[in-house]
């Protein structure tokens, strides 16, 4: 004979187990929406290759290519004819905060113009990309990645590495001391990008387990 207490336990635990089961399945299938935001005209084929590279490395990320928008005049640095990367990050954050559409967890700004930031030694230092650690937006420029590229394929390899690197920062991965890891600090040289890998080391995979293939 089933007592009232036993009846409660059976009927109480089963729904909880079912909820946990469906919750686990939903989490394994749910993808985090990321926006790829072109600044100005960028070829669709290039954008699609970037998307493919991102989704290959971040299996739980789904990338939407957004309509192009102009670079903000507020970020333009006239003395060097380039755009300040940190101002582009601020602009992207504000721009998407005003959007009433789909909520994106991360935003990747992509431009063909030269970008720069301030370092300990230089006020205006040209860079490949910039991201704040564990933040929403990042920005990448193709300007310096095209220099001395051996082919279109070589250029795309560089670009995808830098995009994955900056996106990794937004998900909380810092610069990695492991040689060949995609999160290795480029130290401002294209040589490091070329010699580095496109994959995360085991340490960085552990850091990014929520968005990487497991």
């Amino acid at each position: 004979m089933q007592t009232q207490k036993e009846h409660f336990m059976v009927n109480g635990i089963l729904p909880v187990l079912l909820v946990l089961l469906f919750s686990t399945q939903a989490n394994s299938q749910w993808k985090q929406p990321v926006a790829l935001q072109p600044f100005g005209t960028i070829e669709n084929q290039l954008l699609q290759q970037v998307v493919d590279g991102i989704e290959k490395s971040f299996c739980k990320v789904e990338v939407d290519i957004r309509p192009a928008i102009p670079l903000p005049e507020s970020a333009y640095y006239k003395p060097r004819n380039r755009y300040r990367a940190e101002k582009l990050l601020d602009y992207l954050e504000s721009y998407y905060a005003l959007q009433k559409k789909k909520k994106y967890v991360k935003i990747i700004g992509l431009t063909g113009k030269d970008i720069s930031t301030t370092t300990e030694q230089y006020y205006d230092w040209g860079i490949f990309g910039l991201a704040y650690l564990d933040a929403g937006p990042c920005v990448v420029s193709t300007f310096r990645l095209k220099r001395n590229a051996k082919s279109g394929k070589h250029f795309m390899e560089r670009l995808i590495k830098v995009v994955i690197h900056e996106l990794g920062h937004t998900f909380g991965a810092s610069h990695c001391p492991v040689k060949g890891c995609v999160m290795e600090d480029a130290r401002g040289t294209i040589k490091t990008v070329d010699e580095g890998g496109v994959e995360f080391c085991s340490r960085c995979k552990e850091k990014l387990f929520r968005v990487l293939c497991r």
Side-chain angles (χ1 to χ4, degrees):
M1 181 177 177
Q2 190 178 58
T3 66
Q4 185 175 4
K5 183 177 181 180
E6 289 169 339
H7 180 76
F8 173 79
M9 291 293 288
V10 171
N11 290 325
I13 291 175
L14 183 59
V16 171
L17 291 175
L18 289 173
V19 167
L20 288 174
L21 175 62
F22 286 120
S23 177
T24 301
Q25 291 177 339
N27 287 336
S28 66
Q29 297 172 359
W30 182 76
K31 290 195 173 184
Q32 302 190 58
V34 171
L36 178 58
Q37 179 60 70
F39 282 114
T41 303
I42 297 178
E43 295 179 2
N44 288 333
Q45 184 179 4
L46 184 150
L47 294 173
Q48 189 56 58
Q49 284 182 276
V50 170
V51 170
D52 293 343
I54 295 169
E55 294 185 346
K56 182 178 180 180
S57 295
F58 298 87
C59 294
K60 296 177 185 176
V61 160
E62 185 175 39
V63 185
D64 287 345
I65 300 175
R66 305 300 302 154
I69 59 175
L71 283 159
E73 293 183 7
S74 59
Y76 183 60
Y77 185 63
K78 188 175 181 180
R80 304 294 293 275
N81 189 31
R82 52 175 54 150
Y83 288 81
R84 298 286 294 179
E86 65 276 3
K87 290 188 177 181
L88 292 177
L89 296 184
D90 292 341
Y91 179 81
L92 285 171
E93 191 164 35
S94 298
Y95 179 81
Y96 274 83
L98 296 173
Q99 301 298 303
K100 303 298 183 184
K101 299 180 181 180
K102 187 175 182 179
K103 177 67 175 179
Y104 295 99
V105 295
K106 307 296 177 186
I107 309 151
I108 308 162
L110 186 62
T111 177
K113 299 293 185 180
D114 197 14
I115 62 175
S116 62
T117 192
T118 298
T119 68
E120 293 180 359
Q121 296 176 306
Y122 304 98
Y123 171 73
D124 192 66
W125 180 254
I127 56 175
F128 308 129
L130 184 69
Y132 295 140
L133 194 63
D134 203 16
C138 64
V139 64
V140 173
S141 167
T142 64
F143 186 85
R144 295 171 182 271
L145 300 176
K146 289 180 178 179
R147 290 181 176 176
N148 301 317
K150 298 175 183 178
S151 62
K153 181 181 178 181
H154 184 205
F155 159 69
M156 279 306 308
E157 288 174 351
R158 288 175 168 179
L159 177 57
I160 290 171
K161 286 179 185 179
V162 174
V163 169
I164 292 171
H165 178 100
E166 301 303 341
L167 189 57
H169 281 321
T170 69
F171 279 112
S174 55
H175 281 148
C176 181
V178 177
K179 188 171 180 59
C181 176
V182 73
M183 294 310 299
E184 184 180 2
D185 187 359
R187 297 182 293 277
T189 67
I190 197 65
K191 182 180 179 181
T192 308
V193 176
D194 285 338
E195 293 178 350
V198 72
E199 296 184 357
F200 297 95
C201 69
S202 58
R203 170 183 172 272
C204 291
K205 284 180 179 179
E206 188 64 29
K207 181 74 174 180
L208 299 168
F209 77 96
R210 289 185 179 86
V211 289
L212 294 180
C213 300
R214 304 296 285 181

